[in-house]
Amino acid sequence: TMDINSGTVRYYDGAVDGTIRLTSFYDLLIDGTARTHSLNALTAVSGDVVINANGTFDVNGNDLSVGDSWTNSGTFDPETRTVTFNGTSGTIDIDTGGTGAGKQFNNIVFDDNSGTAIYRLVNNALDANGSITITDGTFNANGLDVNVGGGWTNDKRKVRGTSHWVSAAHAVKAEVRLYNNLFSAENPDDDSEG
């Protein structure tokens, strides 16, 4: 009997075909170089998802829920599906591993079900090709970029940080420079101060 309240299930380059047939896990570890590990159905991970440097994880047309941290050092294929972060308390770290192919999500939902969870980006920006929905909980960009190709919905939003979204078709490279206190007077056109 599998215990979904503790322990880690590791998928690696064994004799299996790479299909993840279980639908409930505590911690899920994707490892190995010889094959892509693909979901077989809607899957719930109540703990952490870790994709090691040589691991490849494909949702294979299925949604995924994650109750704790996400660490991607390998390759993740979200297809057009949704990853829901649904931990209800504590700080839940999300390390996307970077941006671009193999690191981005499609749709992301943050929903702590009226809990006290803080979903916090660490180390890398967040790319969502689809939409981001904050149903409940606090999202902390932690000073990192959030790039959204679709919509942004905040039902009970608590967002910390700066978020950027633009459709991929309208994105352009730009350099932005922020300056503070260029003038000593609040209104430089007012010459009453001499």
Side-chain angles (χ1 to χ4, degrees), residues 6-26:
S6 66
T8 300
V9 174
R10 176 181 175 226
Y11 281 86
Y12 62 99
D13 294 338
V16 298
D17 64 5
T19 301
I20 299 173
R21 298 190 193 304
L22 298 173
T23 58
S24 296
F25 298 91
Y26 183 70

Side-chain angles (χ1 to χ4, degrees), residues 181-193:
N181 298 328
L182 290 176
F183 301 98
S184 60
E186 183 176 334
N187 183 355
D189 291 331
D190 180 8
D191 59 1
S192 64
E193 294 182 17

Side-chain angles (χ1 to χ4, degrees), residues 87-126:
T88 59
S89 63
T91 300
I92 297 169
D93 289 336
I94 301 167
D95 185 350
T96 63
T99 58
K103 306 301 181 187
Q104 73 274 1
F105 293 86
N106 186 53
N107 299 316
I108 305 170
V109 174
F110 298 103
D111 184 2
D112 74 355
N113 197 25
S114 298
T116 59
I118 298 172
Y119 304 101
R120 176 179 66 182
L121 287 183
V122 293
N123 301 322
N124 296 285
L126 173 68

Side-chain angles (χ1 to χ4, degrees), residues 99-100 127 145 147 164 166-177:
T99 58
D127 276 355
D145 289 339
N147 305 300
H164 312 273
V166 64
S167 70
H170 296 95
V172 294
K173 290 191 177 239
E175 179 178 325
V176 177
R177 296 180 184 188

Side-chain angles (χ1 to χ4, degrees), residues 18-73:
T19 301
I20 299 173
R21 298 190 193 304
L22 298 173
T23 58
S24 296
F25 298 91
Y26 183 70
D27 290 336
L28 176 61
L29 171 62
I30 305 296
D31 206 355
T33 59
R35 65 178 39 92
T36 297
H37 300 284
S38 304
L39 296 180
N40 192 44
L42 172 71
T43 301
V45 179
S46 57
D48 301 329
V49 170
V50 176
I51 307 167
N52 277 344
N54 295 321
T56 302
F57 184 28
D58 182 357
V59 296
N60 194 32
N62 297 287
D63 291 338
L64 172 67
S65 65
V66 180
D68 210 336
S69 297
W70 176 278
T71 304
N72 181 6
S73 300

